[in-house]
């Protein structure tokens, strides 16, 4: 109750991605196309992996989870953004803002940890193949997925707990198209230096360390593969390259947003747009297009449904 009494602001006004009607129309069409084409594709990837017994390996189990996380992530910001394009006044309640922020970091943190798990899976498969079936058993895979959801929850709840302690008494204009930590903190009616440091540590430093650790792990894997003469060499290189692309798409914008002091830059909105709307829908599709087994299974499943 004390937290609620110290907060006068009951809603935030979102200034949006841009004030240009032409750019808003272009972005509206772009997001709509992505939703109509790529989002169903993500769910089709999940359906394919679950229905094909040949895709029971941990690699595909984690890919299905990646598609689910990214599809869920895309529902946090984009739908409201589309509605706001058609509204004159873009308003989100205080509770709605906190809820959006919570799920944004819950799924974002979970996906970051999932990429770490996928890197570990590839390392064991390539560098410790004799121990793979033991170390990556179905039980271990389920425990890893549970752990990444728990890690995402802990990461997100820390963000929310720190923001709930801040008083908001005005102004209430967020210079963005959704609620996120950097913009919300700046509206607090108190000194936020310590909170900003904690946020940078919780989001920025952890993101940077995960990114560097992932890159280092894939460098080790690629070096190991390059000196190998096995038949699966090209497949391993292709898989690792795809993982690196997804890592860059996931962590690049996050590092730009969260690893520096919360000062507005001209590129912030554009980077946030690709980070929260475009890239989450593209990640599983990029992976699938470079994976022959998944593409083959999707074609068989599609033919089966058309025949029926």
């Amino acid at each position: 109750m004390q937290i609620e009494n110290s907060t006068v602001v009951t809603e935030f006004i979102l200034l949006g991605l841009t004030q240009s009607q032409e750019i808003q129309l272009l972005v509206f069409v772009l997001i709509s196309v992505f939703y109509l084409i790529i989002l169903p594709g993500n769910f089709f990837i999940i359906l394919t992996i679950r229905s094909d017994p040949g895709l029971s390996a941990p690699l595909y189990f984690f890919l299905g989870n990646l598609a689910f996380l990214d599809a869920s992530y895309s529902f946090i910001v984009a739908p409201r953004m589309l509605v706001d394009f058609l509204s004159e006044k873009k308003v989100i309640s205080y509770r709605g803002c906190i809820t959006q922020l919570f799920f944004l970091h819950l799924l974002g943190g979970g996906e970051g940890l999932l990429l770490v798990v996928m890197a570990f899976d590839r390392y064991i498969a390539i560098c410790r193949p004799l121990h793979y079936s033991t170390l990556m058993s179905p039980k271990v895979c389920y425990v890893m997925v549970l752990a990444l959801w728990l890690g995402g929850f802990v990461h997100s709840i820390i963000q929310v707990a720190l923001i709930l302690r801040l008083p908001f008494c005005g102004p209430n204009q967020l210079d963005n198209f959704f609620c996120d930590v950097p913009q919300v903190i700046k509206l607090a009616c108190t000194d936020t230096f310590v909170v900003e440091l904690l946020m940078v540590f919780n989001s920025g430093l952890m993101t940077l360390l995960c990114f560097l650790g992932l890159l280092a792990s894939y460098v080790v894997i690629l070096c190991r593969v390059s000196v190998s003469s096995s038949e699966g060499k090209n497949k391993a290189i292709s898989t690792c390259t795809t993982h690196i692309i997804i890592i860059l798409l996931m962590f690049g914008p996050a590092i730009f947003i969260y690893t520096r002091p919360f000062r507005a830059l001209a590129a912030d909105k554009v980077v946030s747009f690709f980070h929260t709307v475009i890239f989450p829908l593209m990640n599983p599709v990029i992976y699938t297009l470079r994976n022959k087994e998944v593409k083959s299974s999707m074609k068989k499943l599609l033919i089966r449904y058309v025949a029926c």
Side-chain angles (χ1 to χ4, degrees), residues 59-306:
L59 172 65
Y60 305 112
F61 172 71
F62 294 134
L63 174 59
N65 279 273
L66 177 66
F68 175 77
L69 279 170
D70 277 328
S72 302
Y73 194 87
S74 66
F75 282 111
I76 300 173
V77 175
R80 183 178 185 89
M81 188 180 182
L82 290 174
V83 173
D84 285 343
F85 279 142
L86 305 176
S87 307
E88 291 186 7
K89 191 176 182 181
K90 305 171 178 60
V91 177
I92 184 171
S93 67
Y94 175 79
R95 292 182 182 274
C97 180
I98 296 299
T99 301
Q100 186 181 65
L101 191 149
F102 170 77
F103 283 105
L104 189 73
H105 286 272
L106 168 68
L107 297 174
E111 182 171 348
L113 293 175
L114 176 59
L115 294 177
V116 173
V117 170
M118 292 176 74
F120 177 75
D121 170 71
R122 289 300 85 202
Y123 174 81
I124 298 299
I126 294 171
C127 301
R128 297 288 186 272
L130 298 179
H131 301 89
Y132 186 76
S133 59
T134 303
L135 294 176
M136 299 303 296
S137 65
K139 182 179 180 180
V140 172
C141 291
Y142 280 110
V143 169
M144 285 182 171
V145 170
L146 180 62
L148 68 88
W149 276 101
L150 180 61
F153 176 80
V154 171
H155 162 72
S156 184
I157 206 68
I158 291 174
Q159 306 276 67
V160 171
L162 290 173
I163 287 180
L164 287 177
R165 294 174 60 86
L166 298 175
F168 294 93
C169 50
N172 66 336
Q173 288 188 335
L174 281 173
D175 189 18
N176 211 335
F177 54 93
F178 69 105
C179 284
D180 200 7
V181 173
Q183 292 78 28
V184 174
I185 282 183
K186 285 301 182 184
L187 297 182
C189 304
T190 186
D191 181 28
T192 60
F193 178 75
V194 175
V195 177
E196 287 187 39
L197 286 181
L198 293 174
M199 291 292 192
V200 169
F201 176 79
N202 184 36
S203 290
L205 183 60
M206 295 304 295
T207 299
L208 183 60
L209 290 177
C210 284
F211 175 71
L212 294 176
L214 285 168
L215 284 185
S217 67
Y218 279 113
V219 168
V220 172
I221 293 172
L222 289 174
C223 290
R224 182 67 177 267
V225 170
S226 63
V227 298
S228 173
S229 58
S230 62
E231 295 179 359
K233 178 178 178 179
N234 292 334
K235 180 182 176 181
I237 292 176
S238 177
T239 301
C240 291
T241 302
T242 305
H243 283 197
I244 292 173
I245 292 173
I246 294 176
I247 288 168
L248 292 174
L249 293 179
M250 168 71 183
F251 286 96
I255 291 172
F256 177 83
I257 295 170
Y258 299 115
T259 57
R260 57 183 172 82
F262 295 154
R263 297 175 183 174
L265 296 178
D268 281 352
K269 289 184 181 181
V270 176
V271 174
S272 296
F273 172 69
F274 280 96
H275 181 55
T276 58
V277 179
I278 303 299
F279 291 157
L281 291 172
M282 291 178 62
N283 286 346
V285 176
I286 291 173
Y287 191 95
T288 303
L289 291 176
R290 295 178 60 91
N291 190 289
K292 294 180 181 180
E293 288 79 5
V294 177
K295 284 195 295 184
S296 176
S297 295
M298 290 180 72
K299 289 178 182 179
K300 292 178 182 177
L301 185 62
L302 187 60
I303 292 173
R304 191 189 312 165
Y305 276 108
V306 171

